[in-house]
Amino acid sequence: MGAAAAPDGQRGEEDDRGGLRAALGGLTTRGRSFLAAGVAAAVCAYVLGQADLLRVGLLLAALPLLCVLVLHRTRYRVATSRRLTPQRVEAATEARVQLRMENVSKLPTGLLMLQDHVPYTLGPRPRFVLDRVEAGGRREVSYRVRSDLRGRFPLGPLQLRLGDPFGMCELTRSFQAYDTLTVVPRTEPLPPVKLTGEASGHGDGQQRALALAGDDDIIPRAYRHGDDLRRVHWRSTARYGELMVRREEQPQRARCTVLLDTRGIAYQGSGPDSAFEWAVSGAASSLVHMLERGYAVRLVTDTGSRVPGEGSDGFAAAQDAAESAGLLMDSLAVVDHSEGAGLSRASDALRGGGEGLLIAFLGDLDEEQAALTARMRGRTGAAVAFVLDSGSWLTGGAVTGAVEERLRLLREAGWTALAVPPGARLAELWRTAAGMRAESAADTYGGWA
């Protein structure tokens, strides 16, 4: 056996721990039976003095040993590759895996069996039987994988099992190349409604922040060669005694922060239909939707971690929506319960302000955590909270009075807070939240009038 080709064209050497001892260990049940029968016949022939029986016994014992020797001495050089399409899929969506095997030796192969290592979450382990492959020939086979659970799952390494025509011996060779399938949360298309709730005639309602462009500073700076003289700031020039230029008008960029509560104590149950998975899927849908609307977005969890991270402003640029969405989805694919008991770290992460629109997906809240969440509203332009009662998700019952009390506390602080009943669709809650924001804004403007 030879080399295994990785998906990107890189070749990894096959793990060949062959040897005669390994070849003998590859005897099948048929081969072991022939060997035992031959030895028994030879012993009986020696005891009984039967020469013909001795010949039969030697033939039975020699056949599997001869197959082991021939199979061990046969050195096929085989290259394999794996193509995964696509490499990132949503939960409950299939991906296609294509295997390609090429015989790069000058000898034809015998009967081959391909077996790919696949986690049980993705389905049964695929096996393929290939007939004789001519010298320089190639074969292609494919299978599909599917997972209802999020995560990153390795595919491989590929195993190639070689057998003799009589089925006496099988040798297994393993390749080192493997791929990784990323299963991201399911996303739901959301209606293009405004969650900021501004009344008609008061702008588009998007909370905006300065997006610094170029090398310009916030305050006037010294003149540099090549600067447009029309940008000279004469007042600053007179004050500092040298030419000073003003910064250019900087564009405004809409921002949205999605807060995901991952505390283990805030959720009950597990599985693809659990409250926690609904919250993760809701966060993913919101991030994708806001990116499509041109927002710069970021994801914050109760642990204080921020995705995409600490950049110039910590937000994923809307100009690279596909790349930003992929980075956010990869993070949500592996997010799990945290061991924290509170939301203080998330509150600290939002303390800098400038979050724009804040969308929170929260689990069970006690009175202290509800009060802490209510205070986060003052640092944002608009805030919408989807609160899950994980107990009702287990029993299928109605939302408890404790959850209604938490919602009232959040609404008094300015949140648009909604309870999430079991099996609810985010798109419907999204419309409801937009309606509540619009009514609140209309009442506010009416009071001012």
Side-chain angles (χ1 to χ4, degrees), residues 55-69:
R55 296 188 186 95
V56 172
L58 292 177
L59 177 62
L60 292 176
L63 182 59
L65 296 177
L66 182 61
C67 291
V68 168
L69 182 61

Side-chain angles (χ1 to χ4, degrees), residues 74-266:
T74 302
R75 308 295 293 179
Y76 297 132
R77 297 182 62 244
V78 175
T80 64
S81 65
R82 181 189 300 103
R83 179 181 299 174
L84 179 59
T85 310
Q87 294 187 343
R88 182 190 294 119
V89 297
E90 289 190 1
T93 304
E94 289 186 344
R96 185 169 180 264
V97 183
Q98 185 175 4
L99 302 177
R100 184 177 184 179
M101 193 212 71
E102 182 178 0
N103 182 15
V104 296
S105 65
K106 297 181 180 180
L107 296 175
T109 69
L111 188 67
L112 301 176
M113 187 178 78
L114 290 176
Q115 177 177 280
D116 209 6
H117 284 267
V118 173
Y120 71 94
T121 308
L122 300 182
R125 182 170 296 178
R127 295 181 175 90
F128 304 94
V129 177
L130 303 179
D131 293 332
R132 177 179 178 274
V133 181
E134 64 280 5
R138 64 184 61 178
R139 298 290 187 273
E140 291 186 0
V141 293
S142 63
Y143 64 93
R144 296 185 179 275
V145 290
R146 179 180 181 273
S147 174
D148 293 330
L149 301 176
R150 300 174 292 107
R152 294 173 62 87
F153 304 98
L155 300 177
L158 182 67
Q159 283 188 343
L160 184 63
R161 184 173 295 177
L162 176 66
D164 67 279
F166 300 101
M168 299 291 180
C169 181
E170 290 182 349
L171 295 182
T172 301
R173 297 291 183 264
S174 296
F175 298 88
Q176 296 179 351
Y178 69 94
D179 282 327
T180 301
L181 175 66
T182 302
V183 181
V184 302
R186 288 173 289 186
T187 57
E188 181 179 351
L190 302 178
V193 296
K194 297 178 181 178
L195 292 183
T196 48
E198 297 289 349
S200 178
H202 293 83
D204 61 1
Q206 293 178 347
Q207 296 297 323
R208 299 183 177 272
L210 287 176
L212 303 182
D215 297 326
D216 296 319
D217 301 325
I218 296 179
I219 60 176
R221 59 170 175 80
Y223 174 83
R224 299 172 184 170
H225 179 70
D227 284 339
D228 191 346
L229 292 178
R230 289 175 295 182
R231 293 175 53 196
V232 173
H233 193 267
W234 297 108
R235 182 176 299 177
S236 299
T237 298
R239 177 182 302 175
Y240 294 104
E242 60 176 327
L243 280 177
M244 305 291 293
V245 295
R246 63 179 179 271
R247 64 183 179 90
E248 293 180 341
E249 184 69 19
Q250 298 185 4
Q252 303 288 321
R253 184 172 60 191
R255 287 180 172 180
C256 176
T257 299
V258 175
L259 172 61
L260 176 61
D261 181 8
T262 65
R263 295 172 300 142
I265 63 173

Side-chain angles (χ1 to χ4, degrees), residues 15 37 47-48 73 81 137 165 177 199 209 237 251 267 288 297 302 377 413 425 439:
D15 183 11
V47 174
L48 299 176
R73 298 286 296 181
S81 65
T237 298
Y267 298 94
V288 172
V297 302
D302 59 289
R377 169 64 182 86
R425 292 182 57 83
E439 292 177 3

Side-chain angles (χ1 to χ4, degrees), residues 22 29 50 66 82 98 116 137 151 185 188 213 296 348 416 429 440 445 449:
T29 302
Q50 298 291 330
L66 182 61
R82 181 189 300 103
Q98 185 175 4
D116 209 6
E188 181 179 351
D348 293 339
T416 301
L429 297 175
S440 175
Y445 289 119

Side-chain angles (χ1 to χ4, degrees), residues 265-298:
I265 63 173
Y267 298 94
Q268 302 179 42
S270 60
D273 297 327
S274 63
F276 179 66
E277 291 302 320
W278 191 97
V280 175
S281 177
S285 302
S286 302
L287 289 167
V288 172
H289 176 73
M290 301 312 289
L291 273 173
E292 292 174 349
R293 293 196 63 191
Y295 279 71
V297 302
R298 69 171 175 175

